[in-house]
């Protein structure tokens, strides 16, 4: 059923392209540039789901920044695409923007009454405002302090080495290996299995449903996509229900045991629904995004061999490379949670009315030339020796967000990347693409279905 | 120079600890940021201002000393002593989680 929706989108896009081509030909226009293809775009979210944008969304994002930076989509959603506007909106979350009030959920999620996924989303940390947000975030923050994450580093390094060892025999036989599945996705899943105190096989089973859930949460998801998401969410919810029971009777040193303990000490501190939603939210936020960034980092290594030296020196160089990968390809391209305007807000000559749902196109802000000079160029030097997430010009890289909802797992993701990339480089210096990687046709999550790699034959 | 973290506002992102691990740390039970030095040495003044400007929720206040600080006119002007005291005393509780510095 998802395929049917995709086919329909594809057909619509092809029809639009065909109409344009005919018109262009009749006007003897030889160049089909981005401006023409999108001048009639009424809905940026639909355009982001088009095959052209799945292949390369950045020309469209440039057009949006230059011509429609405070875009109003057909659905009424607003989409901000300039760095300065996004940065402001993220910092103003909790103040000028808030999540939907409990009684307003139906207004912003008309399907929430019947959708488990949307209900779970409504209870996650990302949808909460202070003081509830503060209470919940501080419960979980103890496991994500910089010291805690640093303590995970040796364990992460061991998983990285083991996964690379596992890939080596096939690669050395000259075979192609899917780096996305065998490494990029496996690493964050194994790290999470440890953090959550879950058997690895259980984690691999749960992770299979994550893509469907993420697609169902997209603002333009079809009813069948939402139904598929709900089926996957029901499996996740049932699994976590059982896991919570097991941790209650046999607590260990893991995040789930800690949260169950907090819940059992005081249900006002953490309700049942909040506990399940929190675990569900971490599952959604944690893997697919990290895997996508590992994929993009490896692609950057292969595409820009002259930049590989950053991965061969000290930690400062590795950090610069990681931040530049995060900037160039934000895995979550726009914000998935509603930010509701608490008053009329004028931005760039456009009035966003009170109660409007405002989303931010993070991937576009990261490519805004007003924030990052020559933004389409891959240049780790922008982040060399800086505070993580800030460029040498003092601009914030937006992929982890900003403001009260700043990504809880940001440092965990950074450490996984920093422990991976130099080891991939050292272990497989002749790594190359075996064939073109296959993109996931998602408007929201810029990632891959497969990233087939092989080793260059020596001397060829 | 002194530096104060508004612990009601702190979003526990740990960005300040990454920027200046010797100056900021996170409380064990809840990840809230703390300042672990009484005064900030001259060599770190610029870095502290940077950490303040980078804090995702603007919870870090820099209090420039009065005497002979020639960096006063830089990016982060010092708040008034009254404002500093308000924040230090944490009596400016704002249920919105923001203090207008958006």
């Amino acid at each position: 059923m998802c395929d049917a929706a995709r086919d329909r989108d594809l057909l619509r896009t092809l029809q639009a392209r065909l109409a344009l081509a005919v018109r262009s030909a009749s006007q003897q226009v030889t160049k089909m540039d981005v401006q023409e293809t999108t001048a009639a775009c009424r809905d940026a979210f639909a355009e982001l789901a088009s095959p052209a944008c799945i292949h390369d969304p950045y020309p469209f994002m440039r057009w949006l920044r230059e011509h429609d930076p405070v875009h109003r989509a057909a659905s009424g959603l607003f989409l901000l695409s300039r760095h300065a506007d996004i940065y402001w909106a993220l910092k103003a979350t909790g103040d000028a923007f808030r999540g939907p009030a409990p009684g307003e959920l139906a207004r912003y999620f008309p399907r929430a009454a019947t959708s488990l996924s949307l209900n779970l989303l409504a209870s996650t940390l990302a949808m909460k405002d202070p003081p509830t947000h503060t209470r919940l975030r501080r419960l979980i923050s103890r496991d994500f302090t910089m010291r805690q994450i640093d303590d995970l580093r040796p364990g992460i390094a061991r998983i990285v080495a083991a996964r690379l060892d596992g890939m080596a025999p096939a690669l050395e036989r000259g075979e192609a290996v899917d780096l996305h599945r065998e490494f990029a996705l496996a690493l964050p899943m194994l790290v999470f299995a440890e953090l959550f105190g879950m058997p690895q096989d259980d984690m691999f089973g749960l992770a299979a449903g994550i893509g469907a859930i993420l697609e169902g949460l997209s603002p333009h998801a079809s009813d069948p996509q939402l139904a598929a998401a709900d089926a996957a969410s029901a499996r996740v919810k049932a699994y976590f229900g059982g896991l919570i029971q097991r941790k209650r009777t046999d607590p260990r040193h893991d995040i789930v045991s800690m949260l169950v303990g907090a819940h059992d000490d005081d249900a006002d501190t953490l309700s049942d629904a909040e506990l399940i939603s929190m675990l569900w939210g971490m599952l959604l936020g944690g893997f697919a995004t990290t895997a996508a960034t590992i994929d993009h980092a490896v692609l950057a290594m292969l595409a820009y061999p002259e930049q590989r030296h950053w991965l061969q020196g000290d930690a400062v160089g590795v950090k610069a490379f990681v931040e530049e990968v995060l900037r160039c390809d934000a895995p979550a391209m726009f914000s998935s949670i509603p930010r509701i305007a608490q008053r009329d807000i004028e931005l760039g000559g456009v009035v966003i009315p009170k109660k409007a749902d405002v989303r931010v196109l993070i991937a576009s802000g990261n490519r805004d030339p007003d924030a990052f000079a020559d933004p389409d160029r891959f240049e780790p030097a922008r982040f060399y020796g800086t505070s993580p997430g800030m460029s040498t010009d003092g601009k914030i890289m937006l992929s982890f967000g900003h403001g009260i909802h700043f990504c809880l797992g940001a440092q965990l993701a950074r450490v996984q990347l920093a422990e991976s990339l130099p080891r991939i480089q050292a272990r497989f210096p002749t790594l190359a693409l075996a064939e073109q990687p296959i993109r996931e046709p998602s408007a929201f999550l810029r990632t891959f279905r497969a990233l087939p790699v092989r080793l260059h034959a020596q001397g060829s | 120079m002194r530096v104060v973290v508004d612990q009601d506002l702190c979003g526990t992102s740990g960005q300040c600890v990454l920027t200046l691990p010797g100056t900021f740390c996170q409380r064990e039970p809840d990840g809230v940021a703390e300042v672990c030095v009484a005064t900030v040495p001259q060599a770190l003044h610029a870095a502290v201002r940077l950490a303040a400007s980078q804090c995702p929720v603007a919870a870090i206040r820099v209090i420039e000393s009065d005497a002979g600080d020639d960096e006063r006119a830089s990016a982060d002007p010092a708040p008034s002593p009254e404002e500093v005291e308000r924040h230090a005393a944490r009596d400016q509780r704002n249920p919105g989680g923001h203090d207008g510095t958006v």
Side-chain angles (χ1 to χ4, degrees), chain A residues 105-120 122 226:
Chain A
L105 198 64
R107 175 192 169 108
Y108 299 102
F109 294 108
R111 296 178 288 186
T114 54
S115 166
L116 173 63
S117 301
L118 292 175
N119 261 294
L120 286 166
L226 191 56

Side-chain angles (χ1 to χ4, degrees), chain B residues 82-95:
Chain B
E82 292 80 9
E83 192 184 342
V84 166
E85 282 316 302
R86 273 206 312 276
H87 276 277
R90 290 203 272 146
D91 58 359
Q92 200 193 28
R93 290 180 185 274
N94 180 344

Side-chain angles (χ1 to χ4, degrees), chain A residues 91 94 138 141 147 387-388, chain B residues 7 12 19 26 28 54 96 98:
Chain A
K91 287 196 92 160
R138 287 181 185 191
S141 292
R147 179 184 294 175
S387 171
Chain B
Q7 294 182 324
T12 70
T19 305
Q26 284 176 288
E28 288 278 332
Q54 193 180 0
H98 272 263

Side-chain angles (χ1 to χ4, degrees), chain A residues 237-281:
Chain A
K237 186 182 172 186
Y239 178 81
F240 281 142
L243 185 67
I244 287 166
Q245 289 307 323
R246 291 199 293 280
K247 298 296 178 187
R248 186 164 281 144
T249 50
D250 183 17
R252 302 287 176 92
H253 287 288
D254 57 56
I255 286 178
V256 180
S257 298
M258 185 275 294
L259 288 175
V260 167
H263 168 71
D264 291 352
D265 286 350
D266 181 2
D268 288 340
T269 306
L270 182 66
S271 74
D272 255 334
E274 287 168 343
L275 174 56
I276 295 257
S277 281
M278 200 180 254
L279 297 175
W280 177 86

